[in-house]
Amino acid sequence: MSFIVIIPARLASTRLPNKPLADLGGKPMVVRVAEQAALSGASRVIVATDHEDIRAACAAHGVEACMTRSDHPSGTDRIAEVARTLALPADAVVVNLQGDEPLIDPGLLAACAALIGDAVPMATCAHRLHEAADAFNPNVVKVVLDKSGRALYFSRATIPWHRDGFSQSKDALPAGYVPLRHIGLYAYSNAFLQTYPTLDASPLEAIEALEQLRVLWHGYAIAVHVTDSEPAAGVDTPDDLLRVQAHYRS
């Protein structure tokens, strides 16, 4: 399946200022992310940014970039603007890759894009959890699926709740119980990508602080690719940056 990767990148960051331009082995992080995306088989990789410094850094390394408005409430809105600017057809498949994922497995992008079809306008990924601490961590977003592999619900809570197993102990996961952790990678048909910003916010997303719940609340399907391996963590904090910089030095 043909697909395009668009990488939203803003310079402002409360926890890690100038994060997209952080040096990773001699190249800015956003360039490393774009290079990783190019390994996925995408027909095109574009950085969507509202800052000239990011556009210039991309240009210096041969990475395509598109300037956007600065007032977008989310990365999804930002990539939707780029898709409109490029006049992509309604059936084009667009992958939304965050600009702080320089170690993302390129195969995940292709697998996520492949799930888009007439009845599935949006897709994402997940991996299996094996530690109780992760299952109970509200910063680890969980997802439960239906028999077709589509999302029933996303939550910061421990879902599904193993009634009998957790009544005995919460120190370890019950035998045979394997919850799924959501991976924040998304693919959309362009038709739905343009529809998404017009959807009213839902009470569920306000409670959970999970934007993807808006899609389910409005009745749209989200297919989920379950990968066998846990993906490398992204860069959210200075410690994360040190870890990834060490990777590029090795």
Side-chain angles (χ1 to χ4, degrees), residues 40-178:
S40 69
S43 61
R44 195 171 180 182
V45 177
I46 306 161
V47 172
T49 185
D50 61 354
H51 203 285
E52 173 59 25
D53 288 354
I54 295 177
R55 188 209 63 77
C58 290
H61 292 276
V63 173
E64 184 178 3
C66 183
M67 296 296 292
T68 69
R69 302 195 331 249
S70 60
D71 59 348
H72 286 302
S74 73
T76 309
D77 295 273
R78 192 174 305 282
I79 71 169
E81 180 190 345
V82 173
R84 288 193 301 274
T85 299
L86 299 176
L88 296 181
D91 62 352
V93 176
V94 179
V95 173
N96 179 357
L97 173 61
Q98 297 305 305
D100 56 7
E101 297 280 355
L103 303 181
I104 190 75
D105 175 7
L108 278 182
L109 280 66
C112 190
L115 295 177
I116 300 299
D118 292 341
V120 181
M122 181 171 170
T124 189
C125 299
H127 71 87
R128 298 169 181 85
L129 289 174
H130 302 286
E131 301 295 332
D134 291 329
F136 288 102
N137 184 348
N139 294 317
V140 174
V141 178
K142 276 72 67 174
V143 59
V144 290
L145 311 182
D146 67 12
K147 69 176 183 178
S148 300
R150 298 177 185 177
L152 288 170
Y153 192 66
F154 298 85
S155 183
R156 298 181 183 278
T158 308
I159 57 172
W161 182 259
H162 199 299
R163 187 197 65 173
D164 295 338
F166 291 144
S167 69
Q168 301 298 317
S169 172
K170 297 183 181 67
D171 295 330
L173 297 181
Y177 170 75
V178 186

Side-chain angles (χ1 to χ4, degrees), residues 198-223:
T198 71
L199 299 177
D200 292 334
S202 74
L204 295 177
E205 70 178 285
I207 292 169
E208 295 259 19
L210 296 175
E211 195 176 280
Q212 63 270 35
L213 289 174
R214 181 184 312 182
V215 178
L216 297 182
W217 193 78
H218 282 278
Y220 293 94
I222 303 177

